[in-house]
């Protein structure tokens, strides 16, 4: 079984201690990264954890020059099948990317929240609102 111990931090803090973390799985997303980081920094993102799926367009080099970034390697490709073995259910095979997102949230925890984002999608909040405001509104909200 593939577990969070197989996520290797290759750049940045291994256990970032920030209120709000953003996690992102990407491959060859350099085109978006300048605007992406500017957007989420403006919303109050304090640290970014990127699982880089063997980018070849300069993404990795760019990210390893950012002071508020950790870069993670998983040692396999996002489309590779992995078996999820949960004691409550029979083992299930799925693509690695689905497992990575779960493992990233288990391993990297912001004190107020951890937000899963995609490099080519930009969360839009009401004018003047930040990620910190969003976590305050979600605090105490029960899942339905």
């Amino acid at each position: 079984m593939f577990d969070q111990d197989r996520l290797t931090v290759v750049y940045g803090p291994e256990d970032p201690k920030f209120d709000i973390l953003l996690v992102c799985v990407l491959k060859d997303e350099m085109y978006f990264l300048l605007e992406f980081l500017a957007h989420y920094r403006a919303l109050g993102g304090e640290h970014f954890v990127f699982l880089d799926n063997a980018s070849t367009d300069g993404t990795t080099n760019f990210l390893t020059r950012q002071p508020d970034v950790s870069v993670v390697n998983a040692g396999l490709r996002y489309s590779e099948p992995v078996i999820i073995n949960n004691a409550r259910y029979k083992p299930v095979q799925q693509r690695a990317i689905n497992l990575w997102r779960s493992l990233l949230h288990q391993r990297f925890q912001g004190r107020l929240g951890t937000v899963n984002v995609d490099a080519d999608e930009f969360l839009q909040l009401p004018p003047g609102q930040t990620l910190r405001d969003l976590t305050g509104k979600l605090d105490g909200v029960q899942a339905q």
Side-chain angles (χ1 to χ4, degrees), residues 37-49:
L37 288 170
H39 177 77
Y40 284 104
R41 286 170 177 153
L43 289 180
E46 296 177 320
H47 195 81
F48 301 84
V49 177

Side-chain angles (χ1 to χ4, degrees), residues 6-93:
R6 297 259 317 264
L7 298 179
T8 304
V9 176
V10 295
Y11 173 79
E14 291 199 27
D15 188 16
K17 301 287 188 201
F18 294 93
D19 287 343
I20 299 172
L21 291 177
L22 290 96
V23 296
C24 180
V25 176
L26 52 66
K27 177 179 175 65
D28 293 333
E29 304 269 8
M30 186 60 222
Y31 178 83
F32 300 104
L33 285 178
L34 284 172
E35 186 63 30
F36 172 88
L37 288 170
H39 177 77
Y40 284 104
R41 286 170 177 153
L43 289 180
E46 296 177 320
H47 195 81
F48 301 84
V49 177
F50 291 96
L51 193 153
D52 185 15
N53 184 35
S55 293
T56 60
D57 68 346
T59 292
T60 308
N61 188 38
F62 173 77
L63 291 174
T64 57
R65 294 190 320 262
Q66 304 303 310
D68 54 353
V69 163
S70 292
V71 178
V72 177
N73 183 302
L76 70 160
R77 300 289 181 137
Y78 79 99
S79 60
E80 286 186 50
V82 293
I83 302 295
I84 308 237
N85 191 5
N86 182 325
R88 295 177 58 193
Y89 304 101
K90 68 180 182 174
V92 175
Q93 180 175 314

